[in-house]
């Protein structure tokens, strides 16, 4: 992870709770689903599931 990304994460976590960040993310995903014309619930849940499933691989790649 780049230093700039880490600083951005730190800035967000200094201001928002995890629940607030999750709500912002989900709102963004809903907007993306609407833009694409996809089912919002399916799109958001699919993104969350794939991100959780891929997280160990992503974390290994950042080391």
């Amino acid at each position: 992870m780049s230093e700039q990304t880490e600083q951005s994460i730190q800035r967000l976590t200094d201001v928002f709770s995890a629940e607030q960040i999750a709500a912002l993310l989900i709102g963004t995903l809903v907007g993306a689903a609407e833009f694409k014309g996809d089912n919002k619930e399916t799109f958001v849940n699919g993104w969350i599931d794939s991100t959780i499933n891929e997280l160990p691989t992503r974390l290994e790649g950042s080391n």
Side-chain angles (χ1 to χ4, degrees):
M1 190 176 314
S2 74
E3 184 176 335
Q4 182 178 5
T5 300
E6 289 179 14
Q7 289 174 353
S8 295
I9 291 169
Q10 187 61 51
R11 288 178 57 210
L12 285 170
T13 57
D14 285 348
V15 176
F16 299 107
S17 70
E19 291 83 7
Q20 290 170 318
I21 293 170
L24 289 168
L25 174 60
I26 290 171
T28 301
L29 291 169
V30 167
E34 289 173 344
F35 179 78
K36 292 179 63 181
D38 290 351
N39 176 282
K40 292 179 265 190
E41 186 174 341
T42 302
F43 183 86
V44 171
N45 287 332
W47 186 91
I48 291 170
D49 289 343
S50 68
T51 299
I52 289 170
N53 291 335
E54 295 171 11
L55 189 60
T57 303
R58 290 181 184 186
L59 291 175
E60 286 175 12
S62 68
N63 290 333

